[in-house]
Amino acid sequence: MLEIRGLSACIGDKEILKGIDLTVPQGEIHAIMGPNGSGKSTLGYVLSGREDYTVTGGTVTFNGANLLEMEPEARAIAGVFLAFQAPIELPGVNNANFLRTALNAVRRARGEAELDAVQFLKLARAETKRLHMRDDMLKRNVNVGFSGGEKKRNEVLQMALLRPKLAILDETDSGLDIDALKIVADGVNALRSAEFSALVITHHQRLLDHLVPHRVHVLSQGRIIRSGGPELAKELEQSGYASLIAEAA
Amino acid sequence: MTFLERYETLLGKLPGDSALRAAASDAFRSAGLPGATRGRPSEAWKYTSLRSLAETRFRSGEPKHEAETILARLPLLDVPRLVFVDGEFSDRLSVHIANDGDGTAKSAEAPLSSPGSLKIARFADQPDFGTLTWPDREPMVALNTMLAEDGVSLHIPANHDCGTIQLISVATTDADLHPRHTIRLDAGAKLTLIEMSAGEGVYFLNTVAEIHVADGAHLTHIRLQDESLTAFHISTTYAEVAATATYDSFTLNIGARLCRTEVHATLAGEHATAHLNAVQLLMGAQHADFTSVVGHLAPHGTSRQTVKNVLSGRSRGVFQGRIEVARAAQKTDGYQMNQALLLSPDAEIDSKPELEIFADDVKCSHGATVGELDAEQIFYLRSRGVPDAEARSILVRAFLSEALDAVTDEAVRGSLERAVESWWQRNKA
Ligand SMILES: Nc1ncnc2c1ncn2[C@@H]1O[C@H](COP(=O)(O)OP(=O)(O)OP(=O)(O)O)[C@@H](O)[C@H]1O
Ligand SMILES: [Mg+2]
């Protein structure tokens, strides 16, 4: 279970998150929507431990552990995974090596046996096939020269291999074609279990058709101004954020 | 004893042309060690001073360390090797070339046999000072010319593929060593020469090599400098590349307190190619200077240089690269790139690229970048569970990969990658 209480964070002297309260019970999928610049990506980064953000208040516990005290790699090992809104390019780093290094780092820390190159490739090929990714994506440098959609698929591939307990998908649906959208949703659905939860950041109802959320939260100017069931997303699709924001003000 | 004093005591005992040595000693006497004499430092030694070298006294004595142990630490390949211990050829540690250059290693039969048509000789037996060097212009070449005692002379006859040969220097005592090598590839000949140097103690290795690559010949020249961190390493290479010939070099500098690699490559014939790639990995207070002068004298020449520095601690990297294009060298294609990755705020890089072009139809470019590891990239890796130190190591190797990829032989590249890895381990410690 993820429990966020009164979380505030700033970058430099700019306060971006202004007291967020959010609970995601195990087994649930929650969607986060909200206007551009409202702090959605910031929330994802703070949860995964990016150092340029300073947490100025509040607590975050994940399955009982104090998440905010953990290094980014320790959070990954504990099961937190952030699919980046803008995945990072790593020139000179082979994608297959990157994926295997990450997977083995996590397996090692979890006390599982590391995979050798052959075992890994077998697993990775099965996943790329499921995600309808071309085989040569494994041979190329991480995200370098990947199309927008290919980068997003590569994020989903990492998620599928690392098998997180909390997946934070930051606009993973943006820039994806309709078929890919379904593949991403399938990727998340394949991980679903009583121990798995997800925070799905999105601007579109479409993904939520495939990935029906238990709750939908609206983030505006660093605060959650409204929470509701899946119907809230549909409502927003019709009416936009303006009236909600006016109401909250 | 100073270098000049030692020269005086050795007068008459050194092999080869004594007039040449006398001239070199005059040149060295008037120039002195760069940076160690009064007056303005020369432009060629702007960023590297040999004052610390001048203040160190070397003396040859009993070996203090085991040559075998030092040798065993090098990422050696299973190919013939010529080993010099404290500047002197060691028959015992060398692995000779079995037969007509098929590259098969076989333990020593006859000392420095010249199997088949390949000719190998010791400088001590057949001193060869070559014809390309400039003792009058380069004080370190003058010093070498004055004191050289041993080295190797390799001569690969026309159209002969000699495979791979390792040329290794091991230092076991606090001496100053001045190896002198000559490498000649006749037309259409081929060789991969791997030079490695290592040692223990406070010693000074001052190598001069002269290289001739005749028409259509191809020399791959790989160097790994992994000297003791208290040693001084200076190497000066002159390479002359004839028509359609290739001099493809890669230098990896890891060790030594102070290192200077100076290369003068002359593209003397049409369609000649020279690659002067290098990687310098430094930590602590190490200083390494890669200086190159590429002379395009004939049309259609191609030169490529990618020099990468990874600098941690208070280390200092230097890159000086000059491309000279003569009036006759139309259609020259010259490229030079110097990149530095600073792993610490106290590390420093000095980069001086120079183009001197007298032909009008040429394509020459150079560039330089300096940066740190990218925080976003580190975070991306860590967010996938990769520990911080491993993330940094991955990114440093990624930075180097472009330069290392220029080494096409997989076994050789593997051995260099092992050296990079051991540097990283040492750097972390
Ligand atoms: N490094 C930074 N320096 C200054 N401001 C920043 C920095 N990073 C983010 N911000 C600001 O923080 C606010 C929230 O950004 P964030 O990326 O979290 O928004 P978002 O809700 O994800 O928006 P979008 O829907 O466009 O992805 C924005 O106003 C942004 O400009
Ligand atoms: Mg965002």
Side-chain angles (χ1 to χ4, degrees), chain A residues 94-106:
Chain A
N94 169 276
N95 202 21
N97 287 345
F98 161 70
L99 295 166
R100 184 156 81 98
T101 304
L103 180 58
N104 279 338
V106 167

Side-chain angles (χ1 to χ4, degrees), chain A residues 26-91:
Chain A
Q26 282 195 335
E28 291 198 2
I29 291 183
H30 287 206
I32 296 194
M33 304 183 83
N36 294 134
S38 57
K40 304 182 296 298
S41 293
T42 302
L43 177 62
Y45 285 140
V46 169
L47 292 179
S48 47
R50 195 166 144 165
E51 274 153 3
D52 11 4
Y53 297 91
T54 316
V55 174
T56 49
T59 59
V60 178
T61 52
F62 178 60
N63 294 341
N66 178 352
L67 205 60
L68 297 178
E69 275 190 347
M70 295 159 74
E71 298 292 336
E73 54 269 41
R75 301 185 198 200
I77 286 152
V80 176
F81 180 87
L82 170 69
F84 283 52
Q85 179 173 1
I88 309 296
E89 297 185 2
L90 303 178

Side-chain angles (χ1 to χ4, degrees), chain A residues 48 50-51 71-73 76 81-82 84 88-91 93 98 101-102 105 108 143 155 158, chain B residues 374-390 394-395 397-399 401:
Chain A
S48 47
R50 195 166 144 165
E51 274 153 3
E71 298 292 336
E73 54 269 41
F81 180 87
L82 170 69
F84 283 52
I88 309 296
E89 297 185 2
L90 303 178
V93 182
F98 161 70
T101 304
R108 194 163 58 229
N143 295 328
E155 295 291 290
Q158 292 166 46
Chain B
D374 184 296
E376 277 203 330
Q377 294 182 336
I378 296 175
F379 173 64
Y380 192 55
L381 284 157
R382 294 179 75 189
S383 77
R384 269 55 180 146
V386 180
D388 185 56
E390 197 177 347
I394 288 170
L395 295 174
R397 272 179 286 188
F399 170 75
S401 70

